Amino acid sequence: MSPKTPSLFLTVSLLCLLSFSFFYHHYTTAPPPLNISQTTLAGTQNSIKVYVLDLPRSLNYDLLRKYWALSSDTRIGSEVDNEIRKTLLPRDSDKLLPYPENPVIKQYSAEYWILGDLLTPEELKKESFAKRVFDFREADVIFVPFFATLSAELQLVINKGVFRKKVEENEDYQRQRMLVDLVKKSEAWRRSGGRDHVFVLTDPVAMWHVKDEIAPAVLLVVDFGGWYRLDSKASNDSASEIIHHTQVSLLKDVIVPYTHLLPRLHISENQKRYTLLYFKGAKHRHRGGLVREKLWDLLINEPRVIMEEGFPNATGKEQSIKGMRTSEFCLHPAGDTPTSCRLFDAIQSLCIPVIVSDNIELPFEGMVDYSEFSVFVAVSDALMPNWLLSHLRSYSDEQKDGFRKNMAQVQPIFVYDNVHPGGIGPIPPDGAVNHIWRKVHQKLPMIKEAIIRERRKPPGVSVPLRCHCT
């Protein structure tokens, strides 16, 4: 071997080592962390194919016409809709009508915006994750366009006394029955047993009488609060904290946000906040909401704490805007159900949510990390005298500013409104509707597996209605 060979070998080895070092450094250095808005819609799949089931207009848009044709609504919160009625003329009945502004109804308006997006002409749907198809055999899922919330709320206005009864006078029940009969006769339902059908049930009392019949479907709900009692009753279980999920499950269903009632505060508009903790709502609630009354009694006389009893009607709305925008933290205790619209109003107001609700389920988890802009407190800790306020005071100004910056990034994610008449038109690309469909898309492998398993069952063999999951 010549004398030059070792030096040549060393030179080549050094070059290889340098190349490897460059490769290792270049490809293993941790990338800069993505902010929340960047990660929420990440993914390679850019659409879900949706077939809109053909239903009579009496089950969706004609319900709006029926609602606005009411002479008036005497329930609290209806003042704004009574004023809108005065501006609507008979000839407007053929136009695309707005969804009610009454906060009791508006907070559940997801059904309106989701259908509006699906009915938008395809050339205007460039930003929509849901792509409408016109043959159910080509679809990933079947959307059932029933305005279940509006149907229920109409009945509560017209004749509340029969709402829980399966009688002819209960028009909501008649619509539920008509819907289920139509859907179950369809070839699409028979093919899948309804497992690929999507229903919007944001109001806890929506489709009250037929929930068990549509349980195999994908249900878009704000939480599982209204279902826990049904499941416990069905299982004859006296322990309310032990829930046997016979109808709802995070495996197949999607938690969706309430429609926020307060306007968005941009981070550039944020000002100094003088109140430590703010809450506005009803003091007395039922079931899991009993914690609210106990918290009220603990906090009502504390300095820099505002506890107001009230409702987000015209006067209450202005009070809530002022209260949330001037407070560092906004209390979100459980009510009749584990969550409420108040959480999303707090986010739009850049008021750091303090969530005291042990059984809460939240929209878009896995896409959104709520711990980056919210404070979660166990009920047992919150009810210890002086514990909660001491805990909130321990957060530095830097930490609170970080929460608000993160909150500002996720504010658009919880917005449904696309500002178009009837909700028909281009939607916000990073808004609530697209996020809902992406969450439904995540369920597709489970849906397809369930359909295939059902098909191979021998005649007469049934699958138990139970999901062992959390």
Side-chain angles (χ1 to χ4, degrees), residues 253-266:
D253 302 318
V254 174
I255 305 296
V256 304
Y258 287 79
T259 301
H260 62 87
L261 303 176
L262 303 187
R264 179 182 180 182
L265 175 70
H266 294 269

Side-chain angles (χ1 to χ4, degrees), residues 241-261:
E241 69 274 13
I242 301 175
I243 306 303
H244 298 277
H245 291 289
T246 60
Q247 296 177 339
V248 288
S249 161
L250 287 178
L251 286 178
K252 72 177 185 67
D253 302 318
V254 174
I255 305 296
V256 304
Y258 287 79
T259 301
H260 62 87
L261 303 176

Side-chain angles (χ1 to χ4, degrees), residues 242-383:
I242 301 175
I243 306 303
H244 298 277
H245 291 289
T246 60
Q247 296 177 339
V248 288
S249 161
L250 287 178
L251 286 178
K252 72 177 185 67
D253 302 318
V254 174
I255 305 296
V256 304
Y258 287 79
T259 301
H260 62 87
L261 303 176
L262 303 187
R264 179 182 180 182
L265 175 70
H266 294 269
I267 191 72
S268 60
E269 302 170 315
N270 186 54
Q271 298 181 0
K272 186 170 178 61
R273 294 166 182 259
Y274 296 95
T275 301
L276 175 65
L277 182 64
Y278 178 77
F279 173 81
K280 184 178 182 64
K283 176 181 178 180
H284 304 286
R285 294 286 87 183
H286 308 290
R287 299 190 294 279
L290 294 175
V291 65
R292 185 182 297 187
E293 188 170 342
K294 296 177 181 178
L295 282 171
W296 190 291
D297 293 337
L298 280 174
L299 299 170
I300 185 64
N301 294 317
E302 293 289 338
R304 296 185 64 212
V305 174
I306 296 176
M307 304 289 287
E308 293 179 335
E309 186 143 20
F311 185 80
N313 53 11
T315 303
K317 182 177 180 179
E318 292 305 315
Q319 291 174 341
S320 294
I321 291 173
K322 179 182 178 182
M324 287 192 169
R325 291 187 176 191
T326 57
S327 301
E328 292 181 321
F329 297 94
C330 282
L331 185 63
H332 183 75
D336 289 338
T337 55
T339 188
S340 74
C341 179
R342 188 177 296 105
L343 171 62
F344 305 98
D345 285 337
I347 292 171
Q348 297 303 322
S349 303
L350 297 177
C351 186
I352 301 166
V354 179
I355 299 174
V356 186
S357 181
D358 293 349
N359 294 323
I360 198 168
E361 301 292 353
L362 295 165
F364 314 140
E365 289 200 272
M367 298 175 174
V368 177
D369 183 353
Y370 286 81
S371 66
E372 294 188 351
F373 57 87
S374 306
V375 176
F376 289 86
V377 177
V379 169
S380 57
D381 288 336
L383 295 181

Side-chain angles (χ1 to χ4, degrees), residues 101-294:
E101 286 292 320
N102 180 342
V104 172
I105 308 175
K106 182 179 179 178
Q107 64 181 332
Y108 301 124
S109 64
E111 58 193 17
Y112 181 76
W113 303 110
I114 293 172
L115 180 56
D117 172 51
L118 290 170
L119 297 184
T120 298
E122 203 60 38
E123 62 271 17
L124 301 177
K125 283 172 59 68
K126 294 186 176 71
E127 303 289 353
S128 295
F129 187 73
K131 304 301 179 186
R132 186 179 180 186
V133 296
F134 294 88
D135 184 337
F136 72 87
R137 288 171 286 266
E138 299 175 4
D140 295 313
V141 292
I142 314 296
F143 182 73
V144 183
F146 177 45
F147 286 174
T149 287
L150 193 54
S151 177
E153 293 295 338
L154 262 172
Q155 185 60 46
L156 291 172
V157 175
I158 296 170
N159 189 350
K160 183 178 180 180
V162 299
F163 182 75
R164 304 278 186 180
K165 301 176 182 178
K166 298 180 180 181
V167 294
E168 188 174 346
E169 294 80 8
N170 186 346
E171 295 179 15
D172 178 43
Y173 168 66
Q174 297 300 332
R175 285 188 287 265
Q176 293 176 39
R177 191 70 267 155
M178 174 185 178
L179 172 73
V180 170
D181 290 345
L182 284 171
V183 170
K184 287 197 167 184
K185 288 177 183 175
S186 70
E187 185 179 349
W189 181 280
R190 293 197 302 270
R191 186 185 66 152
S192 68
R195 296 180 186 277
D196 56 357
H197 285 51
V198 179
F199 291 81
V200 186
L201 302 182
T202 42
D203 192 324
V205 298
M207 297 194 73
W208 181 265
H209 296 287
V210 296
K211 283 184 173 182
D212 58 331
E213 297 185 59
I214 61 171
V218 179
L219 308 178
L220 308 186
V221 296
V222 292
D223 59 33
F224 292 156
W227 297 81
Y228 285 173
R229 186 169 57 170
L230 290 176
D231 277 345
S232 295
K233 186 182 296 184
S235 62
N236 295 318
D237 197 324
S238 58
S240 60
E241 69 274 13
I242 301 175
I243 306 303
H244 298 277
H245 291 289
T246 60
Q247 296 177 339
V248 288
S249 161
L250 287 178
L251 286 178
K252 72 177 185 67
D253 302 318
V254 174
I255 305 296
V256 304
Y258 287 79
T259 301
H260 62 87
L261 303 176
L262 303 187
R264 179 182 180 182
L265 175 70
H266 294 269
I267 191 72
S268 60
E269 302 170 315
N270 186 54
Q271 298 181 0
K272 186 170 178 61
R273 294 166 182 259
Y274 296 95
T275 301
L276 175 65
L277 182 64
Y278 178 77
F279 173 81
K280 184 178 182 64
K283 176 181 178 180
H284 304 286
R285 294 286 87 183
H286 308 290
R287 299 190 294 279
L290 294 175
V291 65
R292 185 182 297 187
E293 188 170 342
K294 296 177 181 178

